[in-house]
């Protein structure tokens, strides 16, 4: 039965919490489509036979097919199509940069707005979670064991795919809860932890085992994982050590890495009333950096009660690496963007607390290797921001724990694990890697894509061994 | 998991717990640490490993009650289990090639200094130990140190036990008596390690200190435990916790250590009130 196409050039807007209200709470910002909105938006999809959107999806979800099911109000059917390709749809629907992936290729985007694929994915996953009572099938065991290091998006995806093929999968997680950056990094208002927990429960239901408090490289090495009967190991250990700028004053009280600040708030739950987690109750905060992590830190600081929060970024608004939606949300919530500014010194008071941030103004010169115009210091442009907290969100460098305890594992000069392109195979037989441990800090969906590709490669490798 | 098989008070504020953690016990070396969470909603707290028994599969920690988290830990009894226990983290202390070492422990830091003294002694290294406490009631591990040390000097601030004075006084005496140390290992309050290093610098004796800064994950992710060592930023959890004491910026470490002092004392009061009510 054909459905009536919706030829509105505009997508159905996402209901959101009012900015002036949400800037002081940790509840989810985007409220999600209603059933009617989802169906209406789904009917904007032209169901293109060549699926340009799918080719731009790192995990190759059959996007037109699932949207067609939504248009026909078959939500469970839509979920089953997504679930074939993605282990974490409720997460991806919320945090993927769809505007740079699937939605950027949407034919409707040529004359108007693209179909809101991410919002539909989120709706389908949420609808399934709220309405489905079906227990997922336990796949028949194939008698082979695989170990996965890290219960973040990459490891969870690889685990899900391998478990569905019948592998006995154990994930070793360093922290006390599974989820990786989904629980320690991305804040509640962007990704409620209940949703992450449910997605992880789904994996457990198909037989994935998760052992927390296991720092691989310390308590067990990769070689010991093989000795324990695992036939392949996937390293999805994440990015690692936060970078600092090496400017004077970074050790003052009130200087945080974004990782520490967000971990205290998210993982250690400082956002909840009565939490035992110590955190500075800041009045004026500067967040240095322009990526999604910087936006998360700035918006979290606002919600923790700060009076004034600034993003300090050395290039211009156009160059901000964060998702456009995150930047807009931050602006609506009152975050100040001090672009073309670069810190040169953190100033402290007599008690060793941060009391200011000395910056210089920048201007943009010629494009550098990355294609972005490189910032140059304007002479005599020093100014001081009045802040009591500074949060560094300028990236991470790879964690040494696994590379230093795994003989024969090749890393590049930055310390990232070297892999053989798509498959994620490392220099060690049977050892695969993906996500930030390979690429350096990137996105959730790229990490998931790598986990997916590696699961496929591991399956092919182990089949060839039989 | 993580069951407490033995708990013993060593002095009014310091207790020992031996905890079932076979995989950690199998790998642990002196100088490494664990992170524990006493209960479901507790903080993650790092503690250096005080001892381990590979056969029994246990790891021993010795803790001083300083804030809400250690008070919470102290409410657990033999047979109870800790919520989380992660390790062994950090790099083991380097012991290779050492022939004669002075081990200096201050207060609860003696709990970490002892396993190191024991290991050095078992490797045939000559160990002189200096342990210092505020007063007689707080003295711990004296006998343990005596069995692994050629020479043991016990110091108290108020002279109520051993010799009145600071650990630096005893260490300087040992040096002046003509003892030639390959290395001094100092473990205790930051201020003590700072003054030990000032002294050993004068005599040109390499000195290793064990730093225990604020940290969350203990694997290099949060960066909260950063220190300045020789002008470079180092993370105690992955680069340490042992560092060349002559290169550590102790004043900065002391400042950073006070970041949440107000929070800690509030937490302690809150816990005390809770305990009083329960009592």
């Amino acid at each position: 039965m054909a459905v009536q196409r919706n030829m509105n050039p505009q997508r159905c807007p996402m209901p959101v919490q009012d900015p002036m209200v949400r800037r002081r709470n940790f509840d989810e910002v985007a409220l999600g489509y209603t059933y009617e909105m989802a169906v209406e938006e789904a009917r904007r999809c032209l169901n293109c036979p060549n699926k340009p959107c799918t080719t731009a999806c790192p995990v190759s979800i059959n996007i037109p097919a699932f949207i067609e099911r939504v248009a026909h109000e078959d939500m469970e059917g839509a979920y089953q199509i997504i679930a074939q390709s993605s282990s974490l749809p409720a997460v991806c629907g919320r945090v993927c940069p769809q505007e740079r992936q699937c939605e950027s290729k949407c034919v409707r985007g040529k004359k108007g707005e693209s179909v809101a694929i991410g919002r539909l994915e989120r709706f389908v996953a949420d609808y399934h979670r709220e309405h489905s009572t079906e227990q997922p099938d336990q796949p028949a065991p194939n008698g082979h064991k695989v170990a996965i290091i890290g219960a973040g998006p990459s490891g969870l995806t690889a685990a899900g795919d391998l478990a569905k093929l019948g592998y006995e999968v154990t994930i070793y997680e360093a922290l006390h809860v599974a989820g990786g950056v989904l629980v320690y990094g991305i804040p509640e208002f962007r990704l409620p932890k209940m949703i992450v927990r449910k997605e992880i429960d789904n994996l457990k239901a198909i037989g994935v085992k998760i052992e927390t408090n296991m720092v691989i490289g310390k308590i067990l090495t990769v070689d010991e994982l093989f000795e324990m009967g695992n036939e392949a190991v996937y390293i999805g250990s994440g990015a690692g050590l936060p970078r600092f700028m090496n400017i004077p004053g970074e050790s003052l009280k009130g200087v945080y890495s974004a990782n520490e600040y967000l971990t205290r708030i998210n993982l250690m739950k400082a956002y909840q009333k009565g939490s035992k987690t110590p955190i500075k109750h800041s009045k004026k905060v500067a967040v240095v950096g322009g990526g999604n992590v910087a936006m998360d830190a700035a918006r979290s600081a606002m919600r923790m009660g700060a009076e004034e929060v600034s993003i300090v970024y050395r290039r211009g608004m156009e160059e901000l690496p964060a998702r456009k939606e995150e930047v807009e949300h931050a602006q609506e919530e009152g975050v100040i963007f001090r672009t073309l500014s670069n810190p040169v010194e953190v100033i402290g008071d007599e008690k060793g607390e941060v009391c200011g941030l000395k910056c210089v103004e920048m201007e943009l010169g010629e494009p550098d290797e990355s294609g972005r115009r490189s910032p140059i210091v304007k002479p005599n442009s020093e100014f001081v921001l009045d802040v009591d907290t500074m949060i560094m969100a300028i990236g991470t460098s790879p964690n040494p724990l696994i590379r230093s305890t795994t003989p024969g594992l090749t890393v590049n000069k930055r310390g990232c694990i070297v892999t053989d392109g798509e498959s994620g195979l490392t220099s060690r037989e049977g050892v695969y890697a993906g996500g930030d441990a390979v690429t350096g800090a990137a996105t959730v969906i790229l990490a998931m894509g790598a986990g997916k590709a590696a699961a496929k490669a591991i399956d092919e490798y182990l089949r060839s061994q039989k | 998991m993580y069951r407490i098989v033995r708990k013993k008070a060593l002095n009014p504020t310091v207790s020992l717990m031996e905890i079932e953690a076979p995989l950690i016990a199998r790998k642990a070396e002196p100088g490494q640490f664990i992170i524990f969470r006493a209960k479901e909603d507790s903080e993650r707290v790092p503690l250096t490993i005080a001892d381990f028994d590979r056969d029994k599969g246990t790891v021993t920690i010795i803790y001083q009650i300083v804030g809400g988290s250690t008070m919470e830990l102290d409410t657990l009894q033999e047979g109870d289990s800790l919520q989380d226990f992660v390790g062994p983290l950090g790099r083991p202390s380097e012991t290779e090639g050492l022939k004669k070492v002075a081990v200096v422990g201050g207060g609860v830091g003696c709990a970490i200094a002892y396993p190191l003294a024991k290991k050095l002694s078992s490797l045939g290294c000559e160990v002189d130990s200096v342990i210092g406490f505020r007063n007689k009631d707080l003295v711990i591990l004296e006998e343990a140190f005596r069995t692994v040390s050629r020479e043991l000097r016990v110091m108290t601030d108020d002279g109520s036990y051993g010799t009145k004075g600071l650990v630096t006084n005893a260490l300087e005496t040992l040096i002046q008596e003509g003892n030639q140390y390959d290395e001094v290992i100092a473990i205790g309050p930051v201020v003590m390690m700072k003054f030990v290093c000032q002294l050993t610098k004068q005599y040109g004796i390499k000195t290793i200190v064990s730093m225990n800064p604020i940290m969350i994950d203990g694997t290099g992710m949060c960066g909260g435990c950063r220190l300045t060592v020789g002008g470079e930023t180092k993370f105690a959890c992955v680069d340490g916790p042992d560092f060349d004491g002559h290169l550590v910026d102790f004043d900065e470490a002391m400042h950073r250590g006070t970041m949440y002092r107000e929070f800690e004392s509030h937490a302690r009061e809150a816990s005390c009130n809770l305990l009083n009510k329960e009592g």
Side-chain angles (χ1 to χ4, degrees):
Chain A
M1 189 183 73
V3 294
Q4 180 74 44
R5 295 274 160 223
N6 168 4
M7 293 315 289
N8 190 338
Q10 305 292 312
R11 51 170 63 181
C12 177
M14 178 65 123
V16 292
Q17 263 199 79
D18 181 84
M20 287 304 115
V21 175
R22 73 182 192 230
R23 69 202 282 266
R24 294 298 185 212
N25 71 50
F26 274 86
D27 299 337
E28 197 169 11
V29 169
L31 303 172
Y33 277 169
T34 61
Y35 189 96
E36 291 72 26
M37 287 171 178
V39 172
E40 190 190 325
E41 181 63 22
R43 290 178 178 174
R44 292 185 63 231
C45 176
L46 303 177
N47 203 358
C48 309
N50 60 344
K51 302 176 188 164
C53 46
T54 295
T55 57
C57 172
V59 296
S60 307
I61 293 173
N62 190 342
I63 292 165
F66 99 73
I67 293 181
E68 185 70 6
R69 294 327 307 153
V70 178
H72 281 91
E73 304 189 36
D74 170 15
M75 302 310 172
E76 188 54 30
Y79 180 81
Q80 292 308 329
I81 291 169
I82 299 175
Q84 283 168 16
S85 308
S86 172
S87 300
L88 310 168
V91 173
C92 293
R94 289 173 165 81
V95 305
C96 263
Q98 292 101 3
E99 67 281 4
R100 288 182 201 166
Q101 298 171 358
C102 50
E103 292 176 7
S104 74
K105 297 288 191 285
C106 178
V107 172
R108 294 297 307 264
K110 288 178 185 164
K111 284 183 190 168
E113 290 184 326
S114 63
V115 175
I117 300 169
R119 295 171 183 178
L120 289 171
E121 181 186 24
R122 168 185 164 156
F123 172 80
V124 169
D126 288 355
Y127 190 89
H128 170 82
R129 189 181 59 251
E130 284 155 18
H131 294 88
S132 172
T133 50
E134 269 176 58
Q135 286 297 311
D137 296 335
Q138 279 270 357
N142 68 8
H144 295 274
K145 277 172 77 175
V146 178
I148 295 193
I149 304 170
S154 193
L156 292 172
T157 302
D161 281 17
L162 287 165
K164 283 176 200 157
L165 294 168
Y167 289 93
E168 185 184 334
V169 181
T170 307
I171 309 183
Y172 295 94
E173 165 57 41
L175 290 172
H176 57 266
V177 285
V181 72
L182 308 176
V183 294
Y184 76 73
I186 301 178
E188 183 75 14
F189 57 84
R190 213 148 71 73
L191 179 62
K193 299 308 147 228
M194 176 272 288
I195 285 169
V196 180
R197 220 165 35 237
K198 288 275 187 183
E199 301 261 29
I200 290 168
D201 287 346
N202 289 342
L203 290 179
K204 287 184 181 165
I206 59 167
V208 172
K209 277 189 243 146
I210 302 181
E211 291 209 25
T212 53
N213 294 333
M214 296 293 278
V215 182
I216 302 302
K218 289 291 176 188
I219 194 161
L220 292 170
T221 62
V222 168
D223 287 290
E224 285 167 318
L225 292 175
F226 281 105
E227 286 163 25
M228 290 160 65
N230 292 293
E231 294 162 79
V233 172
Y234 179 68
I235 305 170
S237 53
L241 285 57
R243 285 211 194 102
F244 291 88
M245 298 182 75
N246 293 319
I247 57 174
E250 283 179 331
S251 299
L252 291 164
K253 289 186 273 184
V255 178
Y256 287 96
S257 74
N259 273 2
E260 180 182 358
Y261 191 71
L262 290 170
T263 298
R264 285 183 182 278
I265 292 173
N266 299 322
L267 178 76
M268 304 310 295
K269 302 185 178 152
Y271 75 91
Q272 289 175 348
K273 272 212 165 65
S275 162
K276 293 173 188 163
T277 301
I279 191 154
K280 183 163 177 166
H281 289 282
S282 315
K283 291 201 168 62
K284 293 188 173 185
V285 180
V287 179
V288 180
N292 289 323
V293 175
M295 301 306 135
D296 284 345
R299 298 171 70 197
S300 295
M302 189 64 95
R303 285 160 171 79
M304 293 300 290
E307 290 159 12
E308 189 184 294
V309 181
S310 310
I311 291 276
V312 177
Y313 180 58
R314 63 198 183 121
R315 302 183 207 239
M317 284 305 285
E318 288 303 306
E319 284 77 22
L320 283 169
R323 287 184 68 192
K324 208 167 144 243
E325 183 182 271
E326 304 305 326
V327 174
E328 285 166 5
H329 279 162
Q331 284 176 315
E332 288 164 11
E333 290 162 14
V335 173
I336 301 162
F337 282 75
R338 298 185 198 274
T339 51
L340 294 169
S341 303
N342 203 30
V344 289
E345 185 185 348
V346 196
I347 304 166
D349 63 15
E350 68 288 347
K351 286 186 285 182
E353 305 259 1
V354 174
C355 68
L357 182 63
K358 192 188 282 180
C359 301
V360 286
E361 288 177 31
M362 311 292 281
E363 52 198 357
L364 292 179
E366 295 300 311
D368 61 13
E369 311 101 72
S370 72
R372 291 185 302 177
R373 295 173 66 194
S374 54
I376 308 163
V377 178
K378 265 194 206 171
N380 307 317
S381 63
E382 265 183 18
F383 65 100
V384 175
L385 279 179
D386 172 22
V387 296
D388 58 22
T389 302
M390 179 200 195
I391 302 169
M392 296 278 189
I394 54 169
T396 59
S397 52
N399 193 305
L401 293 183
I402 290 173
R403 67 168 189 255
S404 63
T405 54
T406 311
L409 190 70
T410 305
V411 295
N412 67 18
K413 61 176 188 291
R414 288 187 301 145
C416 298
I417 299 170
V418 175
T419 58
D420 175 22
E422 177 107 320
S423 73
L425 178 64
T426 67
S427 53
R428 282 278 306 266
E429 188 186 346
V431 180
Y432 295 74
D436 285 3
V438 170
T439 56
T443 61
V444 167
I445 187 69
L446 284 176
M448 289 180 57
K452 194 163 191 64
K456 185 164 167 274
I458 288 170
D459 180 48
E460 283 164 8
Y461 163 68
L462 292 178
R463 279 172 191 282
S464 73
Q465 300 286 298
K466 283 175 200 170
Chain B
M1 280 281 264
Y2 320 132
R3 198 168 59 91
I4 301 163
V5 297
R6 186 162 66 101
K7 181 180 176 184
K8 189 180 155 198
L10 300 184
N11 75 28
T13 61
V14 175
S15 292
L16 168 154
M17 270 185 191
E18 188 177 343
I19 292 155
E20 239 171 39
L23 286 176
I24 302 176
R26 207 160 60 91
K27 285 288 175 74
E29 291 290 346
Q32 292 189 294
F33 65 95
I34 54 90
I35 283 184
F36 74 85
R37 282 205 317 156
K39 296 179 180 170
E40 174 55 47
D41 60 347
S42 301
E43 279 298 276
R44 294 172 65 96
V45 180
L47 267 186
T48 307
I49 293 168
D51 205 354
F52 48 85
D53 186 326
R54 302 206 203 282
D55 298 329
K56 269 172 79 185
T58 59
V59 172
T60 301
I61 53 173
I62 294 179
Y63 59 92
Q64 180 165 29
I65 299 168
V66 288
S69 301
T70 36
M71 288 196 103
E72 230 170 31
L73 176 68
D74 201 53
T75 62
L76 299 178
Q77 305 301 330
E78 277 181 15
D80 293 344
S81 290
L82 276 73
Q83 177 73 28
D84 296 294
F85 200 67
V86 195
L89 300 168
R91 293 149 73 119
S93 300
E94 283 171 25
T95 47
E96 237 180 75
L98 297 174
K99 295 277 178 284
K100 190 174 166 86
V101 167
V103 174
V104 181
V108 73
C110 292
I112 311 157
Y114 167 67
L116 195 53
K118 181 169 113 178
K119 181 172 181 189
L120 285 165
S121 159
S122 75
L123 291 172
C125 172
E126 198 174 297
V127 177
D128 289 350
S129 300
V130 178
I131 55 177
F133 304 90
R134 285 211 313 279
N135 60 53
K136 181 173 187 260
D137 294 339
L138 302 178
V139 175
I140 57 171
L141 297 171
E142 184 188 357
E143 279 319 303
F145 269 102
R146 200 176 299 284
T147 57
V148 298
S149 309
R150 183 192 68 107
E151 185 79 41
L152 174 68
R153 307 271 161 102
V154 184
M155 309 296 288
T156 51
D157 293 358
D158 64 355
S160 55
Y161 191 75
T163 309
K164 182 177 159 104
L166 301 170
V167 290
T168 40
N169 304 135
L171 179 63
E172 186 156 29
T173 308
L174 283 166
I175 296 167
Q176 285 175 348
E177 283 168 6
N179 289 297
Q180 303 261 342
Y181 297 114
D182 300 337
E183 200 172 282
V184 171
I185 297 168
I187 304 174
V190 180
V191 63
M192 179 206 94
M193 297 192 283
K194 173 184 167 177
F195 283 104
V196 168
C197 288
Q198 275 181 8
L199 173 74
T200 55
K201 229 176 199 170
Q202 291 168 29
Y203 290 95
I205 309 169
K206 183 179 177 187
T207 301
I208 299 296
V209 295
S210 175
M211 304 300 287
N212 189 13
I214 293 167
M215 58 176 77
I216 306 177
D217 61 299
T219 64
M221 191 265 283
C222 80
C225 66
R226 63 190 186 275
L227 304 160
T228 305
V229 182
E232 281 180 62
T233 298
K234 295 280 182 192
F235 291 178
C237 64
V238 290
D239 300 318
D242 286 4
F243 291 101
D244 181 340
H246 292 164
L247 300 178
V248 172
D249 185 336
F250 288 108
D251 293 333
E252 179 191 288
M254 277 187 270
H255 263 303
R256 286 186 61 77
T258 62
M259 177 132 182
Y260 297 114
R261 188 152 286 171
E262 217 174 295
F263 210 99
E264 276 164 27
S265 57
H266 282 172
R268 189 164 53 227
E269 275 168 32
S271 287
C272 280
N273 290 337
L274 200 67
L275 293 180
N276 289 343
K277 269 181 219 155
E278 280 171 4

